Amino acid sequence: MCLVWENLTVELPSKTSGSTRKLLSDLCGYAEPGHIMAIMGPSGSGKSMLLDSLAGRLSSNVKMSGKVLINANRSSTDCRDISYVTQEDFFLGTLTVRETITYSAHLRLPRKMTKQEIHSVVDNIIMEMGLQDCADTKIGNWHSRGISTGEKKRLSIGVETLTNPHILFLDEPTTGLDSASAFFVIRALRNMAYDGKAVICSIHQPSSDVFSLLDDLLLLSAGETVYFGEAKMAVKFFAEAGFPCPTRRNPSDHFLRCINLDFDIIAEALLRYQNICAIPESSSYPVNIRTAEIRETLIEKYKCSEFSNNTRRRIQEISVTGFIKFCIS
Ligand SMILES: Nc1ncnc2c1ncn2[C@@H]1O[C@H](COP(=O)(O)OP(=O)(O)OP(=O)(O)O)[C@@H](O)[C@H]1O
């Protein structure tokens, strides 16, 4: 099952002035089975907003236009085809990991399934998510320590994949985790993608190990596309646009350094306090260019790049297989 979005725009109408604020501008892209598509961008760039738009969870105060299409051979989309792992979890601290998954399985799986079948689904989820060592540990709460944050995150993913969804959305699954736990979570998602799911997640500044597990990348800045395409080709795009990733630097650090407008504010503040230069001389970043200018250049270069053309072509190719209109306004 593929997901495609075309000219997706989300606006926030002002109740007082009558004007509107664009939160997402004219986004185009796709997510395919077998792939992890990561949405990266500075805080407030619209990552969660895009996930919510694609999953049909937008709040009522914003207005969406454009298309979000799901490719399938059925006339309607079964809600079990899509799962969404939010940043927060709502587990009962007194239950163990196994009890939590079993409890959820009884609620979510078809009633005709036998206890034995449910038991086997639960065992599989525990194995897939690498939760064997803590399967019988209580989740814990504010007054009794339980499983770790990384284990809790993998439990959230496990619970959401009980119904074997075709498309899995995750809002910042690695936030708050150390690099090893983050890698473990993304590797579990990688295995799910190999299983044929389309995985779409927002992610903050992944380590280079985690970055290497991503297939496709959407770089967002203030609701606009800076890059959409294969994750491993983003370095080429930045180099061709005139902002090569310095050697031995984590690519995602470089991308975010080029598009996070907060760096301009930091630079101005530092200059105001008489610092000669906001960026160390040893840095290979262009010191005379503001991040706002770099960002504008990248957005313009992307629009006429081979990557943007490839995206349009791929959307067209996927469309030929037949789509069901999921949402349009
Ligand atoms: N329901 C809403 N009504 C009004 N504004 C909203 C709403 N939801 C999000 N926004 C605004 O849209 C922008 C994008 O928010 P979003 O939560 O998508 O950012 P994000 O990239 O996920 O940020 P973070 O990484 O900090 O979670 C922000 O400026 C936010 O204040």
Side-chain angles (χ1 to χ4, degrees):
M1 193 176 268
C2 296
L3 184 69
V4 162
W5 54 100
E6 276 190 283
N7 310 110
L8 177 62
T9 296
V10 175
E11 292 174 317
L12 174 69
S14 162
K15 282 180 188 151
T16 47
S17 66
S19 62
T20 56
R21 179 183 157 210
K22 266 195 184 171
L23 301 176
L24 297 178
S25 301
D26 217 18
L27 306 185
C28 295
Y30 55 86
E32 296 183 90
H35 285 214
I36 301 183
M37 202 287 283
I39 307 166
M40 260 169 59
S43 190
S45 57
K47 300 182 293 295
S48 306
M49 178 68 69
L50 176 58
L51 283 177
D52 287 347
S53 311
L54 299 178
R57 293 167 47 112
L58 274 182
S59 60
S60 57
N61 66 331
V62 294
K63 194 172 158 289
M64 178 182 135
S65 58
K67 295 178 193 168
V68 179
L69 305 165
I70 285 185
N71 150 243
N73 297 318
R74 278 168 282 164
S75 59
S76 69
T77 310
D78 189 329
C79 65
R80 276 178 303 174
D81 286 336
I82 295 178
S83 279
Y84 194 118
V85 182
T86 57
Q87 284 190 49
E88 303 82 29
D89 56 70
F90 303 96
F91 297 129
L92 287 170
T94 48
L95 295 186
T96 67
V97 166
R98 187 186 299 281
E99 285 164 350
T100 302
I101 304 174
T102 309
Y103 174 72
S104 218
H106 279 285
L107 289 173
R108 291 170 183 231
L109 295 178
R111 292 180 80 180
K112 62 175 190 275
M113 281 180 79
T114 63
K115 268 193 174 172
Q116 196 49 46
E117 284 168 333
I118 288 185
H119 192 73
S120 133
V121 171
V122 171
D123 276 347
N124 269 343
I125 294 281
I126 289 173
M127 286 276 288
E128 263 178 39
M129 300 314 301
L131 292 167
Q132 303 92 316
D133 291 345
C134 62
D136 299 309
T137 307
K138 284 198 180 1
I139 289 167
N141 47 34
W142 63 274
H143 66 86
S144 86
R145 175 105 177 82
I147 59 173
S148 72
T149 319
E151 288 163 341
K152 214 182 270 182
K153 190 52 83 178
R154 279 181 275 141
L155 175 60
S156 299
I157 299 169
V159 165
E160 287 306 326
T161 50
L162 270 170
T163 53
N164 202 16
H166 289 98
I167 301 175
L168 182 62
F169 292 99
L170 304 103
D171 197 3
E172 297 185 16
T174 58
T175 296
L177 304 184
D178 65 25
S179 57
S181 308
F183 184 77
F184 207 173
V185 166
I186 300 295
R187 211 184 53 182
L189 295 178
R190 176 72 277 151
N191 291 339
M192 288 185 180
Y194 281 141
D195 245 18
K197 293 183 189 7
V199 177
I200 305 167
C201 63
S202 60
I203 194 161
H204 261 293
Q205 221 136 345
S207 67
S208 38
D209 285 337
V210 165
F211 189 80
S212 68
L213 293 177
L214 309 174
D215 297 294
D216 301 310
L217 177 70
L218 168 59
L219 269 178
L220 269 184
S221 178
E224 292 190 80
T225 304
V226 174
Y227 174 81
F228 180 87
E230 279 184 79
K232 62 174 188 275
M233 298 305 282
V235 170
K236 181 172 180 260
F237 167 70
F238 272 70
E240 286 175 357
F243 308 104
C245 179
T247 44
R248 285 184 288 159
R249 191 181 297 267
N250 176 355
S252 53
D253 286 348
H254 175 67
F255 302 154
L256 292 171
R257 173 63 186 82
C258 289
I259 62 173
N260 191 340
L261 298 173
D262 290 347
F263 282 109
D264 283 341
I265 300 168
I266 295 166
E268 277 161 23
L270 285 171
L271 284 172
R272 225 179 294 129
Y273 286 103
Q274 306 280 302
N275 275 330
I276 300 149
C277 187
I279 301 151
E281 272 181 21
S282 60
S283 164
S284 39
Y285 288 115
V287 291
N288 296 323
I289 309 180
R290 286 164 53 83
T291 308
E293 283 175 55
I294 300 177
R295 175 187 171 275
E296 282 305 316
T297 308
L298 287 166
I299 289 172
E300 287 312 311
K301 295 256 181 192
Y302 173 75
K303 282 180 189 158
C304 48
S305 70
E306 58 176 302
F307 303 100
S308 170
N309 291 338
N310 289 345
T311 302
R312 294 267 178 200
R313 198 176 313 124
R314 188 71 191 121
I315 288 175
Q316 209 55 36
E317 278 168 12
I318 297 170
S319 302
V320 172
T321 61
F323 275 102
I324 288 162
K325 196 183 283 182
F326 175 59
C327 179
I328 184 165
S329 57

